[in-house]
Each structure stands twice: as C-alpha cells, then as structure tokens.
Amino acid sequence: MVAGEREPAAAAIEGAMPGRYERLRSRLAPWRPAITALVGVVVVILVWLAISRLIAEVNYNDVLDTLHATPLSSVAAALGLTALSFLALSIYDLSALRYLGLALPYPIVALTAFCAYAVGNTAGFGPLTGGAIRYRFYSRLGVEPGDVAKVVAFVTIAFGLGLAGVTGLGLTFAAADLAMPLALPPMLLRLVGGAVLVALGLLFVLAARGDGRIGWRRISVALPRPGLMLAQFGATIVDVSAAAAVLWVLLPNSDIGLPAFVAVYAVAIGLGVASHVPAGLGVFEAVILAVVGRSASVDAVLSALILYRVIYYGVPLIVASGLVTGLELRRVASGAQASRVLRAGAQLSPRVLATLTFALGAVLVFSGVTPAADQRLDLLSGLLPLPILEGAHFLESVLGLGLIVVARGLAHRLDGAWWAALVAAGTAVLLSLLKAIAISESIALALLFIALLATRREFNRPASVLHQRLTPGWFLAMTTVIVTAAAIMLFVYADVEYSNELWWQFEFSEEAPRSLRALLGVVIAAGSLATWSLFRPSKGKTALPDAAEVAEAVRILDTQPYPDANLVRMGDKTLLFSEDRRAFIMFGRQAHSWVALFDPIGPRDAWPGLIWQFVEMARAAGGRAVFYQVMPENLALYADAGMRAFKLGEAAQVDLAAFDLKGAKRASLRHAYNRSLREGLSFEFLEPDQVAGVIEDLEAISNRWLAEHRAREKRFSLGAFERAYVMTQRAAIVRCRDRIVAFATVMTTGRKEAVTADLMRFDPGVPAGTMEFLFSSLMLNLRDQGYRWFDLGMAPLAGLSESPAAPIWHRMGRAVFEHGERFYNFHGLRAFKAKFQPEWQPRYMAVSGGMSPALALADVTVLISGGLKGVVGK
C-alpha cells in the first residue's frame, strides 16, 4: 500500500460506522463486563433468597433420606437419557456444518460437540466456552475461522428456536397439567403456546417459499433449507425431552406428566441461560421448585435436582476429561505419526480440565459447608486427633477456592497454573479422606490429578498463575459459588440458633461451627484475592523504547522471516519482550485499545506466553488487546487467549523463484518494463550505506509527493520519511537520465526468505508505468540474490465472503469494498497487485472477547493517522 494515505481498511470502516451510537458503545465498553458481573451477582442473591423461601419448611435430613432412597433403576435410566440427550446434541454441529456446505466425519463432530457441551453446560456462557473448543478442534481440521464462528452462531440460534418450539408444544398440548402448578387458565397457556408455534411455522414457510432470507434494516440471515430445519428441530425435541426426562425420572412423586414437565424444563433452562449465571446455578432450581414444588414433595424435588446436576452435568464432564486424557496418551504413544484427530483432540484438554477443576473446586467449597455422615466422624474420632480433622476441613475448603482461581490459568495453558492445580488436587485427595473419608471426592480429585499429569505437554505457556488478573466474569463465577455455599449452609443448619460461641466450638460432633469457619475462610480468601487483583499496581509498559531496546529488537528480527517487523526501527511503538528476551511484540495505545502490530516476532515457541502476557497487561490497565494483521496459521494462539478473529483482507505474496516477465500473464508488466527502458528509466538497488549519499534527493521527492497528494506522514503500520529511519533500510530507486524520480525503501532480514517495501514515492509527472518498472526490476534483482518471496502488502477488505450466510463483519466489509471508493481505491489497489500474479493469503485482526471489531479498527485508524487530526485530514 502507498505510504502517506489513510490506512484504507481502517478509514473506510470507520467512515461507515454510525458515529454517535459507536461512541456511546466505546464509552460504555470498559464498564460493560463489570456491570454485567454486578447484575449477575444481584440475580444470584435474589434467586437464592427466593429458593430459601420455597424450601423454608424442608429439613436437610429428609432431603438426604430421599436422595439415598432413589432407586438404582431411576439412576440407570437417567444415565441412559443423558447419553441420548448428548447424542442428539451432536446433530446440532452436523446441521451447522451441512448448512455451511462442510463435511467432517461424524466421530470427529460427535467428539467436538460432546466436549463443547460438557464444558458449556458446566461453565456457563455456552457460546463462548463451547465456541472456543469448536474453534480449537475444527480450525485444526481446515475449517476457516469465519466458518467456525458461523457454526457457533448456528447451534446457539438453533437451540434457542428449538427450545421455544418445545415450550410451545408443551404449553399447547399439556396446558391442563400445567394450569394448576402455574395458577394460570389452561386457555391462556394454549394461546401462548400456539402463538410460539405459529411464529416458528411462519419461519419454516419463509425458508420453504420465500427467498430463503430473513432480516431487518439491511441485516439479513440466510435460513436453512426446510429439511435441515426439520432435522434440527427434531434433534432439539429429542435433546430437550431426554434432558428433561433425566430430572423427571429422578422425581419419586410428581403429578406432572412428562410433556408438561418438558415445557417447564425448557423455560427453566432458557431463564438459566439468559441469566448468564454459570450453569444457571440457582436460577434453574428456583423455576423447578416454584412450579413442580406445588404438586410434589419439595424435599423430593431438591434431592432430584442434586442428582440431576451430578448425572447430567458432572458425569459428562468427567467422561470428557477421560476422553481428552486418553487422546493425549494415544498421541504420545503415536509420536510423530499421530493423526490430525489425535493432535487436535488432545489439545482440547486445557479447557475441559479447566472446567473440571472449576467444578471440583466448587464441590470442595460446598462440601466444606455441609456435615459429614455421623458414622464416618465416629470412625475418624478413634483414628485422628481433632486438630487434624479441623485443619483438613478448613484447608480443603480454601483449596477449593484455589482450584476455582487456577482453573482460569489452565484454560489459558499456563504452566504455573498446571503446577498449582496439580499440587492442590493432590493435597485435596488426602484432605478429603482426613476430613470425612469422602471417597467420591477423593476419586474425582485423583482423576483430575492423573489427567493433569497425562496432559502436561499441553500446558506450555510459561507464566505464573499469580500474574493473571481475574476478570469480572471470573469474579461472578466465584461469587456464585460462595453465595450458593452460604445458602446451602443456612439451609442445612436452619435449626441451629446462631451464637458467637459457635465459632469456638471444636468437637467431632459439632458440624455447624466447622462449616461456619470453612465458609469464613473461603470468604476471606476470596476477598483478599479480589482486593489484591483489583488494586495491585499495573505492570503495563507504555513508554517508547530507547535505542538499546530498538537495537535488541532488530537483532531478534534479523533472525526471523518477517521483514515487516523492520517498522520497529521507527521507535514509535512500545516494545514488550518475552521473559527470556527471545521475542517481542510492538504495540501502540489508543483509547482503551492496546494494539499489537503483526504476530509476535521471535521463535514461535515463545509466542504463546508473550501473547498471554500482552493480553493480561492490557486487561490489567483497563484496556482490551488487539492484534492487527496476523496470519491465519497463528489464530489458534489468539483463541487460546480468549480473542476472536476477523478477516481484514488478503496479502499479495509473489513467489520470486517463479517470477519473470515472460508469458501472456505478465504481458502488461513486460510492455511497461520495456517502455520504461525506452524512455530512459534505469533501476538501482542501494545498500543502507549508499542510501545516505542520496538522502537529500529522496527527501525532496518525498516532500513533493506529500504536497502533490496533500497527505501527511502516517505511523504505526506505515513508515514515515525520517532520515535516521530511511538510512537503516535498503532502497530501490529509478533514475530518468541520471535524476532520481522514484524510490521505495526495502525491508529485509538476515534469513533472505521474504522482502517487502515500505515507503513508495515518486515525483509528479513521472512516465506512466514507472512504479510497475520499479517493482518488476526490484523483484528480478531480489530473485537473483536468492530471496524467496516478495510481499506486496495487504489488499484491504479483499477476499471477504460473499455468501448470504456470511457474518455481519464480512457483509459490512464487502459493502465498503464495493461502494467505498471515496475512502480508498480498493479495486485499483487489488488490480495493481494482481498484475504480479501473486498468491493471496488472508490477514486477520484478533480482538479481545466482547470488543467490537469496528471500534478496534477505528482505534487503529487513529494510531496510523497520528491522532484525530490525521483521521479528519488526509
């Protein structure tokens, strides 16, 4: 791209943005996660207050008795129905892939869907957590990032529509059964259910007879084919009905039939998802208790809900952990011969094990506020001193909170989090036996310990877990667990009158004081962690580099094949080095965006930790990380750091070994080259020491070029004409009868693999075809020197999908590409690059989750333009 003009992609998108609305979103964006988390905490507290009123007359021991009295046949039926539900869930992914015209083997799709839903159901935020797993797996099997995003959107929307359909069916055909527990007229329920079914029927008719699209205000979505819609709806009916039946068969006495119960279940699930509370904890239970508790024993409903959570949430998560552990062990055994499925499947382990770690941490906290069986305490009283039991009970509860905290580090593949989780899980195995001979707890923790050992190689990001700064969403998850634990404790010990003396009672039989102390320990630990995380000084680096740091970065880039990184010589970007100083990121700050230019520079094994370090540094400073112009093969690294990828355009790469001016394809270049020779043009390639001798001439051309184009120097992703910077580069010049009339600075590295041009400027009035002559001559010269690739730069917004199913980012970019000529000559730029018959390679922008790509690109525009004045000007 020509230096001195506005960065086309950024400028055009920014010009197309609705200004006032986007500015408001920009101001609210930094506070949105905190506001969402605060609302979530309020919802959790209100929900548990409501539950406490619903179960006020229930005794904890009665719930345990009902739980133990559940027939094994009911448990077996619940396990079978869980398997059926998850089998139906795999159809969601199959339908999404078929909708996009993609075909993957069913075992691969089933494994991915199973792990995604096992994690999403437990951790909440299903589209986010499940989406990360789908991206990790599908992208390694050749599915484009944009298509993975469409898969996630498809399964999310399909589940929502299917859930509405199941609810409508239940309200319509089981209104009589629902009328009494809901205290509503049956006719009203039938009308609501009928309205939902009619709306879905209209959607089906539009797909069958319309143009296949539905939309509003220029935003439209391509509807699936009717057959695919029917298959998806059938899968949803099986999924939701089987999942509801899991809970229904565990209810020993219920007057509600299965069809009516399915409708209640669908509403409860929908409200749980809408609340954004992890796993809908409390919200789902409140709805079931409020409706089903009117026609069934409340203690029976409570015991069924506990078993349901264990069977439908816990068992699949443990099975998923076993699967990814087995895949990792098989991959190790296969070595270099491991299949793509084994390599991709084993790498699902960080998020699966992170979710298992979080879940077991919550279990330890809940276990700390509930009493142990009397017979176990009697046995321990004859084996252990009381201080050991008290200490084990207290420490294991605090360790539970520790597992919740390190789970986030495991999701980001931190080796420090792996060590912390391994030690915590191993210690908790022993403590669970010492505190109450909790066999099931110790087995689950031992499985986590073994799984962590087996997947050690996947946690390869060198960073301490203490370096991470917890996000508002993670604080919401911790608060949900603590509030739930407090509610459980108040329910269990409802008949114990509070007194200050409780805190100082230490006896084997005194469970209430032990639970009080455990909960207090968890609250103090969580409060201390929150205070430390929120108020510790930020280590974010913002100062521009000194000469020594620039020289160090230049030494690193000289060993790498990324010539664009020579922009570090400008000294206008902050540098962040890896802890071992082998790699670096160059970045700038604008508003709340911390924008890194290109992928990290340095050995690839140093990238994961450096990317995570940059993302955490931006978050700690109240900003959001952005990586601008990254390569597709590296997108998995950004997904691991919780970032989303958006296509920016395509870079033109010319294979120098195959480049010449012969043949019909390059006839126009050959004619321009020969005409330039006849007009007296000649080419020279200057080394940096030779550039110093003509710097006055080059600066004069640059000034005349800027004046002619009424442009100003740009920054960040473009070089500016500064003498010190230009004299560090090679230069290609064109002379016309011994006078320099055009030049381009050339960026290379010591690897001699790739070359690119930075500043490209020429005198007004030069002969037509001068720049084609310059580039043709330069490529021929570089080919003879042994270089492999010439990078012509990115064609912004090129290559975005034209499919009706494309995401809105692609549709907006395509619109700008087709109609945004007043911002930049998009077609002309791509046509110029196409003359050299390049290979087109996509380039992406990765942004932190929740950030608008348009806002990120607007901030990049300001960085490149040198401020708002440069955005308004040229």
Side-chain angles (χ1 to χ4, degrees):
M1 78 188 58
V2 180
E5 298 194 30
R6 295 182 70 185
E7 183 81 358
I13 292 290
E14 182 229 355
M17 286 165 49
R20 181 177 301 177
Y21 173 68
E22 291 296 342
R23 284 196 298 270
L24 179 61
R25 284 190 62 187
S26 179
R27 291 175 182 174
L28 292 178
W31 299 100
R32 188 171 60 182
I35 294 171
T36 302
L38 182 60
V39 171
V41 170
V42 173
V43 169
V44 170
I45 293 173
L46 292 176
V47 162
W48 282 111
L49 287 174
I51 290 177
S52 67
R53 294 176 63 88
L54 292 171
I55 62 175
E57 303 300 324
V58 178
N59 183 271
Y60 173 69
N61 291 323
D62 293 339
V63 175
L64 285 184
D65 292 340
T66 306
L67 188 64
H68 293 146
T70 304
L72 290 178
S73 59
S74 297
V75 175
L79 289 170
L81 289 165
T82 297
L84 177 61
S85 175
F86 274 82
L87 183 65
L89 286 172
S90 67
I91 305 300
Y92 289 17
D93 283 56
L94 273 180
S95 299
L97 292 168
R98 189 178 304 169
Y99 170 67
L100 297 174
L102 302 173
L104 291 176
Y106 177 72
I108 293 177
V109 176
L111 172 64
T112 307
F114 177 73
C115 291
Y117 283 109
V119 169
N121 288 347
T122 304
F125 303 100
L128 179 61
T129 52
I133 285 180
R134 288 184 176 91
Y135 179 83
R136 196 103 189 34
F137 202 100
Y138 289 144
S139 64
R140 290 187 174 273
L141 297 175
V143 180
E144 290 292 329
D147 288 335
V148 179
K150 285 182 253 184
V151 169
V152 175
F154 183 96
V155 298
T156 303
I157 295 172
F159 177 76
L161 293 176
L163 202 63
V166 172
T167 305
L169 287 172
L171 293 176
T172 302
F173 297 104
D177 291 336
L178 286 170
M180 191 267 292
L182 292 178
L184 292 172
M187 183 54 67
L188 177 61
L189 297 179
R190 289 193 182 95
L191 287 175
V192 173
V196 172
L197 293 178
V198 167
L200 293 176
L202 289 174
L203 199 63
F204 180 80
V205 171
L206 283 174
R209 297 187 177 181
D211 61 358
R213 301 188 63 81
I214 185 172
W216 182 68
R217 287 190 177 182
R218 298 184 181 179
I219 299 176
S220 61
V221 177
L223 294 171
R225 296 185 303 275
L228 192 60
M229 289 182 70
L230 286 176
Q232 180 60 58
F233 188 62
T236 307
I237 291 177
V238 174
D239 163 38
V240 176
S241 299
V246 172
L247 179 55
W248 189 74
V249 299
L250 295 172
L251 289 168
N253 298 304
S254 176
D255 296 332
I256 300 181
L258 181 57
F261 186 80
V262 170
V264 175
Y265 177 90
V267 172
I269 286 291
L271 291 175
V273 172
S275 71
H276 287 296
V277 175
L281 190 62
V283 179
F284 175 81
E285 283 78 5
V287 175
I288 297 296
L289 281 168
V291 177
V292 182
R294 296 188 179 192
S295 58
S297 171
V298 177
D299 56 352
V301 177
L302 274 178
S303 66
L305 284 168
I306 294 170
L307 270 178
Y308 165 78
R309 286 284 185 181
V310 172
I311 292 173
Y312 194 78
Y313 288 75
V315 171
L317 183 58
I318 291 175
V319 172
S321 302
L323 281 174
V324 297
T325 301
L327 287 172
E328 177 65 14
L329 292 175
R330 285 188 61 188
R331 183 167 75 99
V332 172
S334 302
Q337 303 301 317
S339 67
R340 287 194 307 165
V341 176
L342 288 180
R343 290 196 301 269
Q347 291 184 357
L348 299 177
S349 55
R351 290 196 179 269
V352 173
L353 295 185
T355 306
L356 180 62
T357 301
F358 180 92
L360 289 180
V363 167
L364 294 185
V365 174
F366 298 155
S367 175
V369 298
T370 54
D374 291 338
Q375 59 269 30
R376 294 181 183 179
L377 290 177
D378 292 340
L379 177 60
L380 287 173
S381 64
L383 298 175
L384 295 177
L386 179 60
I388 291 181
L389 182 140
E390 293 282 0
H393 192 280
F394 182 85
L395 289 176
E396 193 188 45
S397 299
V398 176
L399 269 181
L401 180 69
L403 286 174
I404 292 173
V405 173
V406 301
R408 179 172 181 267
L410 290 177
H412 291 296
R413 302 171 178 264
L414 306 188
D415 60 353
W418 182 87
W419 280 107
L422 190 73
V423 172
T427 305
V429 170
L430 177 62
L431 294 178
S432 64
L433 296 174
L434 293 178
K435 76 164 189 178
I437 318 180
I439 302 298
S440 57
E441 270 182 33
S442 61
I443 291 175
L445 289 164
L447 289 175
L448 173 61
F449 184 85
I450 294 170
L452 288 170
L453 284 176
T455 57
R456 172 66 183 99
R457 67 162 68 188
E458 300 303 326
F459 300 92
N460 54 6
R461 187 166 292 170
S464 167
V465 71
L466 296 178
H467 288 172
Q468 66 177 340
R469 190 177 292 263
L470 298 181
T471 61
W474 215 256
F475 282 123
L476 170 60
M478 289 187 355
T479 304
T480 299
V481 171
I482 293 173
V483 171
T484 303
I488 291 173
M489 188 187 70
L490 293 174
F491 166 67
V492 170
Y493 301 109
D495 57 340
V496 177
E497 187 175 349
Y498 175 79
S499 67
N500 292 331
E501 287 74 19
L502 284 174
W503 296 99
W504 312 112
Q505 292 180 9
F506 295 91
E507 297 180 27
F508 277 97
S509 61
E510 294 295 338
E511 286 288 289
R514 194 171 294 132
S515 298
L516 275 173
R517 290 189 290 269
L519 182 61
L520 178 64
V522 170
V523 171
I524 291 175
S528 301
L529 176 68
T531 302
W532 174 75
S533 182
L534 291 173
F535 294 103
R536 64 175 171 160
S538 173
K539 296 183 179 180
K541 184 177 181 181
T542 58
L544 294 179
D546 56 28
E549 287 182 310
V550 172
E552 184 177 4
V554 170
R555 285 194 296 271
I556 293 173
L557 75 87
D558 202 45
T559 65
Q560 302 301 311
Y562 309 111
D564 307 76
N566 277 281
L567 287 169
V568 73
R569 299 174 186 269
M570 283 287 297
D572 62 341
K573 291 168 280 291
T574 305
L575 300 181
L576 175 67
F577 288 90
S578 60
E579 293 184 1
D580 57 10
R581 310 292 289 190
R582 294 189 301 131
F584 69 91
I585 285 173
M586 47 183 166
F587 68 94
R589 291 181 59 191
Q590 172 58 39
H592 296 288
S593 297
W594 291 52
V595 185
L597 183 60
F598 310 131
D599 295 299
I601 308 301
R604 188 176 172 82
D605 64 315
W607 290 16
L610 188 54
I611 290 172
W612 181 86
Q613 184 182 349
F614 178 74
V615 172
E616 288 294 291
M617 184 177 70
R619 181 181 291 121
R624 292 177 180 263
V626 178
F627 280 83
Y628 184 66
Q629 290 195 38
V630 299
M631 298 182 183
E633 60 266 27
N634 304 320
L635 292 180
L637 299 177
Y638 302 105
D640 284 344
M643 307 184 79
R644 297 178 299 155
F646 298 88
K647 191 171 183 179
L648 282 174
E650 293 181 327
Q653 305 277 330
V654 178
D655 183 356
L656 292 177
F659 181 78
D660 58 43
L661 298 180
K662 301 176 182 178
K665 290 184 178 180
R666 294 196 173 102
S668 62
L669 282 181
R670 184 172 62 253
H671 295 327
Y673 182 85
N674 292 332
R675 184 174 63 251
S676 296
L677 290 176
R678 290 194 300 270
E679 292 177 348
L681 299 186
S682 61
F683 171 82
E684 291 182 43
F685 192 42
L686 306 180
E687 296 296 325
D689 57 341
Q690 296 174 300
V691 172
V694 296
I695 193 67
E696 298 283 352
D697 295 332
L698 301 187
E699 186 171 24
I701 292 173
S702 176
N703 290 338
R704 288 193 293 270
W705 185 89
L706 291 171
E708 174 72 14
H709 291 83
R710 297 180 180 178
R712 50 183 285 169
E713 296 284 12
K714 303 302 180 185
R715 300 282 173 171
F716 193 64
S717 66
L718 302 169
F721 195 101
E722 295 179 357
R723 288 195 175 198
Y725 169 68
V726 173
M727 288 189 293
T728 63
Q729 310 284 332
R730 296 176 173 184
I733 65 171
V734 174
R735 294 181 185 269
C736 183
R737 298 178 179 84
D738 296 329
R739 184 176 67 87
I740 299 176
V741 295
F743 74 91
T745 57
V746 181
M747 298 192 290
T748 63
T749 71
R751 290 279 291 271
K752 297 189 71 172
E753 289 189 24
V755 187
T756 190
D758 182 18
L759 298 174
M760 295 168 279
R761 298 181 180 179
F762 50 87
D763 259 339
V766 296
T770 297
M771 297 310 289
E772 286 91 338
F773 173 75
L774 186 153
F775 278 105
S776 298
S777 302
L778 176 59
M779 290 182 198
L780 292 171
N781 186 289
L782 293 169
R783 181 197 65 185
D784 295 340
Q785 292 186 44
Y787 286 92
R788 295 179 56 190
W789 296 95
F790 189 86
D791 187 348
L792 282 165
M794 186 175 68
L797 304 181
L800 298 185
S801 174
E802 300 182 51
S803 167
I808 187 171
W809 170 257
H810 281 243
R811 296 200 297 274
M812 183 170 67
R814 288 292 308 177
V816 173
F817 184 84
E818 297 296 338
H819 309 292
E821 294 302 309
R822 76 187 194 89
F823 296 104
Y824 195 80
N825 182 18
F826 292 99
H827 292 279
L829 179 64
R830 184 178 173 88
F832 176 81
K833 297 176 189 294
K835 292 180 181 179
F836 298 91
Q837 300 296 313
E839 296 179 15
W840 295 98
Q841 298 181 358
R843 291 292 181 267
Y844 291 86
M845 176 175 64
V847 302
S848 291
M851 185 178 188
S852 164
L855 287 176
L857 206 50
D859 287 337
V860 173
T861 303
V862 177
L863 278 175
I864 294 168
S865 302
L868 292 174
K869 183 178 179 180
V871 175
V872 176
K874 209 175 181 185

